[in-house]
Amino acid sequence: RWAIGAVLSDRNVTERRNAATLEMSDENWLLSEAVINIQKPFKILTTISSGQKYPSLSAVYPQLYIIWRHIQVIQPNECAAVQQCRSAITEELQRRYYPAGYKKLNAAKASVFHSRYKLLKFFAEPVRDETYAEIIHELETIVVANIDDEPEIVEPELVKVLNNHENVFDDLAMLCSADDRFVGLDEFTFYLSETVKADILQYWNDNSKRYQKLAFLARKYLCIPATSVPSECAFSTAGH
């Protein structure tokens, strides 16, 4: 704040006619600080979703769920403008990420193949069941004999990135706890009932023979980046 004020008052940098339109009152500063606080989780989400060395799509809906909870909490003495900002962001999240049929999107299905989020606790039960039904339908179309061995997968760095951002996303841990409601011996239900603590890519590398059909779909969905940043970086690197 003070650094910006110094720049605005320095006539070698900012002309008087421009400074008059850029200067902010104390009320403006307080409003800006409150809005920035609301938006902090989005900066962290963007950083995590732009990673290139770990699966990113599978974490989109768990992280959005945490943001959704965070943004609903109105702080004491919060002004109407900030509350309006919260409402606008909530509506935009709903429009962009929760359209009709979102439970069938690749981001929803990718979460099933992430050991931390496979129980889909960030979805209501009807949505969860529809996502599982989509996966089961795909499993029924896979012929195991056509699945070739895949090369060893490099261990991801998502845990390292998350550990560097101790914040509202610490609540992600509650979405990762085991659930004993799954019974049955088929591949999918057994996978869901299993407690997994290994890094996700290492887990699928180690269990590709054990869960052949699921591993095939895991490769299909976990390779999808959550954002276009990795591909843009690749083009930028190639250009140099």
Side-chain angles (χ1 to χ4, degrees):
R1 174 176 178 175
W2 302 116
I4 295 175
V7 170
L8 292 177
S9 60
D10 186 345
R11 293 299 164 256
N12 293 320
V13 179
T14 308
E15 295 181 7
R16 184 178 299 278
R17 61 182 180 181
N18 294 329
T21 61
L22 295 173
E23 289 177 352
M24 295 173 62
S25 65
D26 288 342
E27 183 179 352
N28 294 145
W29 280 112
L30 291 174
L31 177 60
S32 298
E33 290 168 359
V35 171
I36 289 172
N37 185 56
I38 294 174
Q39 296 177 338
K40 279 182 179 178
F42 291 95
K43 181 179 184 296
I44 299 167
L45 173 59
T46 301
T47 301
I48 295 173
S49 298
S50 301
Q52 302 180 54
K53 298 182 179 180
Y54 49 81
S56 54
L57 188 67
S58 55
V60 168
Y61 276 111
Q63 292 166 357
L64 284 173
Y65 172 77
I66 298 300
I67 284 181
W68 194 283
R69 291 178 53 210
H70 168 75
I71 210 168
Q72 301 295 323
V73 180
I74 298 176
Q75 301 300 318
N77 303 319
E78 195 168 78
C79 67
V82 176
Q83 293 181 26
Q84 185 179 0
C85 178
R86 289 184 186 275
S87 297
I89 292 175
T90 300
E91 291 175 5
E92 194 63 18
L93 287 176
Q94 180 70 41
R95 184 183 71 83
R96 288 175 178 266
Y97 296 101
Y98 298 91
Y102 71 90
K103 67 280 292 185
K104 299 180 181 180
L105 295 177
N106 287 341
K109 290 189 280 189
S111 296
V112 176
F113 299 99
H114 199 298
S115 56
R116 294 184 180 87
Y117 315 127
K118 63 182 180 180
L119 299 183
L120 307 184
K121 293 184 178 182
F122 42 87
F123 286 157
E125 189 167 354
V127 176
R128 188 184 313 152
D129 291 342
E130 284 194 54
T131 302
Y132 286 154
E134 286 293 309
I135 297 298
I136 292 171
H137 175 71
E138 287 195 55
L139 288 172
E140 292 171 347
T141 65
I142 296 174
V143 179
V144 175
N146 291 337
I147 301 176
D148 298 324
D149 292 340
E150 291 290 327
E152 184 175 353
I153 306 173
V154 178
E155 186 171 324
E157 296 186 359
L158 177 57
V159 174
K160 183 191 301 183
V161 176
L162 286 172
N163 288 341
N164 290 334
H165 297 284
E166 296 179 2
N167 47 48
V168 65
F169 290 106
D170 292 342
D171 288 344
L172 281 173
M174 74 172 192
L175 304 178
C176 312
S177 56
D179 195 326
D180 60 3
R181 67 188 177 89
F182 294 103
V183 293
L185 298 177
D186 64 278
E187 185 174 330
F188 187 54
T189 54
F190 193 84
Y191 160 70
L192 291 178
S193 65
E194 184 179 43
T195 300
V196 179
K197 295 183 179 181
D199 289 318
I200 184 58
L201 293 185
Q202 188 62 53
Y203 171 81
W204 285 113
N205 187 60
D206 295 341
N207 290 273
S208 59
K209 296 291 191 296
R210 184 180 174 207
Y211 297 128
Q212 294 188 55
K213 292 185 177 182
L214 283 170
F216 179 81
L217 291 182
R219 288 191 289 267
K220 173 182 176 180
Y221 289 110
L222 293 180
C223 71
I224 303 173
T227 71
S228 62
V229 170
S231 59
E232 291 172 2
C233 288
F235 281 116
S236 178
T237 301
H240 286 80

